[in-house]
Each structure stands twice: as structure tokens, then as C-alpha cells.
Amino acid sequence: MSSENSSADDVQQVWDVVVVGAGPAGASAAYAAAVAGRRVLLLEKAELPRYKTCGGGIIGPSRDCLPPGFELPLRDRVQAVTFSHNGRFARTRRSKQMLFGLINRPEFDQQLVEHAEKAGAELRTGVTVQRVEQHGSAVPDRRTVAVVLQGGETLLARAVVGADGSASRIGAHVGVKLDQVDLGLEAEIPVPGTVAEDWQGRVLIDWGPMPGSYGWVFPKGDTLTVGVISARGEGAATKRYLEDFIGRLGLAGFEPSISSGHLTRCRADDSPLSRGRVLVCGDAAGLLEPWTREGISFALRSGRLAGEWAVRIAEAHDAVDARRQALNYAFAVKAGLGVEMSVGKRLLKAFERRPGVFHAALTGFRPAWRAFMDITRGATTLGELMRSHPVAQRALFALDRRPAAGAEASAASAASAASGSGDASGSADASGSKDGGGAAGA
């Protein structure tokens, strides 16, 4: 616990760690700090549970970061993926084991917060943080950060974790720089039982008409989460893509229960992750996979790291020690998540130029499908895949090159050379009436 030596501690409670934002990143940070026995306050501007625009896919790295005893509120278990290229060339690949799970964010986030509370964190909802101050009259000493709430209340902390989303005020304080901004649009569509049954255990991923865009259908019981994402600045085209996508699926006649949009933001390579005794994680730090824009696993992993290092910063007795711990946090993030983001950026650039190569690889070459399965299950990461698989390195190198003649063939050849004679863990089948057309297919 915090020492009570200073006069400020006698006058006003000083929290060891204040976490701003109770999404997956913030709840993970609060849990990690509370488990270490520190006095933790978790702040959330909304009332929980609350809706978030999110596909809700829980891949292996996400499952591995959950607190002990956490039971995922799964709405479906995915064992098949239908890939299509702007509504055409649909093909379904299947796995004998679960690839990933699907959740609704309100339930998932609420459960994460409850685990943080059980670990000892205190939750306050309905509060908006206006700013943080590390100097000035509100700050009693150099070991303290002032968290100023809307309405004027000031909280004091030895360390602050910003997990307040992609439009983060804490991120602005730290100086987070963004390199890629995308617009995601999503509809939650209740469907009849016959349609829901057709989608059970299977998702659709559609490579879209704009560079870098794609769409998805995630089944969650009697509701389908249907969404698309593309670069910001293509708002009208992105909206049109979603409308066309829903129409092609035969779902236009069903009224969405929720329609929403969200901007995702990726950090620049040189973007800071801390300032003084303040750390950022998750969307607030611009941490997500640039190609797929998958953010839950990045939020959970960076949140856990932020909580662990915030404890060390809270214990630091001077600015030099606090700076050292903050740099260690940044190193831990960059060594893992940063490597994955670097590979993801290269994949996105290649995908923007040659989406057909990705579609052909995932639907036609066993090594690409095996890599997809391994990543979603958590057996490997994009970074590990590039480090340990020469074939993957050669394929990405070929795709890295500008679309000169032969780049597509080079990537295909690299994958084909390693395809082997069989694949015990997955199979593919051409799209038939169930997977490729009608009310439930693309």
C-alpha cells in the first residue's frame, strides 16, 4: 500500500494507481495492479454494462491474458471461416478445433471489471476525466499525479494508466501520435432461428472493394454482428459497402437492433507510451493490429503490462526511477506487441495492393490456412511467425515489393512450395448453397 508519510496523504487519500477507462485494457490494468496488493481506483465515464462497436472475436492471445477463473461468456465457438472477395469466390475452410470464440462486449467488459473489483480495485462510474496534471498547485509533490474530474474534483495518484479509448484525453497528455485511422461501421441484426442455425460455428470474412477494407459476419446466437472497416476519409464508400454487403447476404429485410460506427487508431512507430508517471495502453496508446484492426488482445495484453509497471512507478521515489520504469514498460510493449504491429503494417500495405493474393492464399494454400489457425488459437503470433518460418518471410518479402510483374506469383510460389501433402487440422470446401448464397451466405 502507499506510504502515509507526506502531509498530502494525511489530508487527501493518495491512490497507488488510478486507471482511466474500464474497457478490456483498463480492467486488465486495474486487475494487475490490484492483485499486486496496491490501492487501485478504476474510473469509467459510462454506466456499466455499455455497448461498444466491436466484432467481439476472442482469439488465443486474448484467452491467455484473462484472469484466473475467468469464464468467457461465449455466444458461439467458431470452427469454420468463409472467405470471399467482394462477394465473389466464396470458399469455406474448416477446423476440427475451435479457432476463436465470439462474445458481446457489454457482458465481457462487465465480467473483466468484476474480476478487477474482486482483486481489490475500487470502481467509480459516471465520471469524466478532464485532464491530468503532473505539475502545478494541484500536485503536492513530484511523486504525485492529479486527476481532475469534470466538475472540479481532484484525485491524487502515484501512477496513472490511461485506457480511455481511441479519443483518449490521457493519450493527448502523453503525446500519442497516430499513424493510421480507420472507420468501422457495424450492425447488430436479430435473425430468425433458421438463419441463425445456418451461421452457427461459422464466420464470414469478405475482402472489400476499397484498398485495405474488409467485412465480417460474426454469429452470436439469434443475432448476427455484421460490419465493415476501411480507411477514414472513405465514409460514404464505407457506408455503401456495408449496405451492399448486408444486401448480398440476404439480410436487408431484417431490422438492426443497433447500428454504430467507430474510429480505430494505430500508433506511429515513434509514439510515446508514457509521460512522467502516466502510462497509456490499449486504444488510448493506439495499440491494435493494423491489418485486421483486432484490438481486444492488444488491449488485454498492454493493459496487463501497464498495470504491472504502474505498480513499479507508484513505488518509485524520484523522477529518475519513475522514468526508468516507464521506459521498461515501453520496451516490454514494443518487444511484443510492437513487433506484431510492424508485421501487420507490412501486411496491410501488401493487402491494399493485392487482396486477391491473400484470398487465394487463405483459401488455396495449406500453409496460409495453418498460419491463420495457429494465430487465432494463440499457438503463435504474427511476429513469431515471421521470425521462425522462412517461407512466411519470403512470401512477405515478395508482397512487400511494389506490384511489379511476378510479385503475386512469387508469393504464391513460396506458399505452394511448403504446402505439403496434407493438413490434419483443417480442410476446405468450395462454397455451396449453405455457405455461398441465400439468406446466410455471401
Side-chain angles (χ1 to χ4, degrees):
M1 297 292 179
S2 292
S3 66
E4 301 293 335
N5 294 331
S6 71
S7 58
D9 290 39
D10 297 331
V11 175
Q12 181 178 357
Q13 181 181 37
V14 179
W15 298 90
D16 290 308
V17 179
V18 168
V19 180
V20 183
S28 295
Y31 175 85
V35 160
R38 298 305 183 266
R39 195 160 44 213
V40 179
L41 178 63
L42 178 58
L43 303 176
E44 168 58 43
K45 66 180 179 181
E47 297 296 339
L48 299 176
R50 81 286 187 257
Y51 179 80
K52 285 286 185 180
T53 305
C54 178
I58 302 296
I59 59 176
S62 297
R63 293 195 301 268
D64 293 343
C65 275
L66 296 172
F70 190 99
E71 293 187 13
L72 277 166
L74 292 181
R75 293 297 176 133
D76 205 343
R77 291 170 168 82
V78 176
Q79 290 186 269
V81 182
T82 298
F83 296 99
S84 63
H85 190 189
N86 199 18
R88 300 177 298 161
F89 315 117
R91 192 176 188 191
T92 298
R93 303 214 69 159
R94 303 183 186 278
S95 168
K96 295 178 180 178
Q97 300 173 346
M98 186 179 84
L99 295 170
F100 56 94
L102 299 175
I103 52 91
N104 285 328
R105 281 287 302 276
E107 299 170 339
F108 179 69
D109 291 12
Q110 178 70 37
Q111 224 169 287
L112 284 171
V113 168
E114 288 172 359
H115 274 263
E117 289 183 285
K118 288 175 185 176
E122 183 174 321
L123 172 69
R124 283 185 62 181
T125 60
V127 291
T128 299
V129 173
Q130 291 279 52
R131 64 186 184 278
V132 293
E133 297 179 6
Q134 301 193 64
H135 307 283
S137 58
V139 183
D141 57 58
R142 293 186 178 183
R143 288 191 60 209
T144 308
V145 180
V147 180
V148 182
L149 307 182
Q150 192 174 59
E153 182 184 356
T154 298
L155 307 171
L156 300 179
R158 297 298 184 204
V160 171
V161 175
D164 49 335
S166 59
S168 169
R169 294 192 178 188
I170 311 302
H173 172 81
V174 167
V176 172
K177 294 186 287 184
L178 304 171
D179 191 39
Q180 172 190 329
V181 183
D182 297 291
L183 171 64
L185 300 177
E186 196 167 73
E188 303 286 350
I189 305 178
V191 293
T194 52
V195 177
E197 183 181 355
D198 192 42
W199 282 98
Q200 188 174 5
R202 177 177 66 93
V203 302
L204 169 66
I205 297 176
D206 178 72
W207 314 119
M210 298 92 73
S213 67
Y214 77 96
W216 61 89
V217 179
F218 284 1
K220 299 171 185 175
D222 59 359
T223 298
L224 300 179
T225 297
V226 183
V228 300
I229 195 163
S230 186
R232 183 178 68 170
E234 299 284 347
T238 306
K239 184 178 180 182
R240 191 161 52 249
Y241 176 28
L242 179 60
E243 292 170 350
D244 292 345
F245 187 42
I246 290 173
R248 286 200 306 264
L249 293 167
L251 301 174
F254 303 116
E255 186 69 24
S257 58
I258 300 174
S259 295
S260 62
H262 179 67
L263 291 177
T264 64
R265 298 172 169 91
C266 283
R267 68 187 295 274
D269 289 337
D270 62 344
S271 180
L273 291 164
S274 68
R275 178 180 173 186
R277 290 176 174 267
V278 179
L279 306 176
V280 286
C281 60
D283 285 345
L287 292 168
L288 69 157
E289 201 281 290
W291 175 35
T292 64
R293 290 80 155 187
E294 190 277 324
I296 294 178
S297 77
F298 280 70
L300 292 169
R301 289 181 285 174
S302 65
R304 184 185 64 183
L305 290 171
E308 292 170 352
W309 289 105
V311 168
R312 295 176 173 89
I313 290 173
E315 294 169 346
H317 290 284
D318 55 45
V320 173
D321 191 20
R323 176 63 176 162
R324 183 184 302 115
Q325 303 303 338
L327 288 172
N328 286 337
Y329 166 68
F331 178 80
V333 170
K334 292 175 183 177
L337 301 180
V339 172
E340 292 179 41
M341 290 187 70
S342 178
V343 175
K345 286 180 181 180
R346 293 171 65 189
L347 285 170
L348 176 63
K349 288 178 181 178
F351 174 68
E352 287 173 341
R353 297 193 303 269
R354 299 289 189 183
V357 172
F358 286 79
H359 183 69
L362 284 165
T363 58
F365 297 120
R366 288 189 180 93
W369 173 241
R370 280 200 296 264
F372 179 91
M373 289 192 294
D374 287 346
I375 289 170
T376 56
R377 289 176 184 151
T380 189
T381 65
L382 277 174
E384 291 169 354
L385 190 70
M386 289 301 129
R387 281 194 296 266
S388 58
H389 289 70
V391 171
Q393 295 170 7
R394 290 198 298 272
L396 185 56
F397 177 76
L399 288 168
D400 270 340
R401 293 182 294 180
R402 283 292 169 189
E408 199 162 321
S410 298
S413 297
S416 181
S419 61
S421 58
D423 184 355
S425 58
S427 61
D429 49 286
S431 61
S433 60
K434 179 173 181 178
D435 292 330

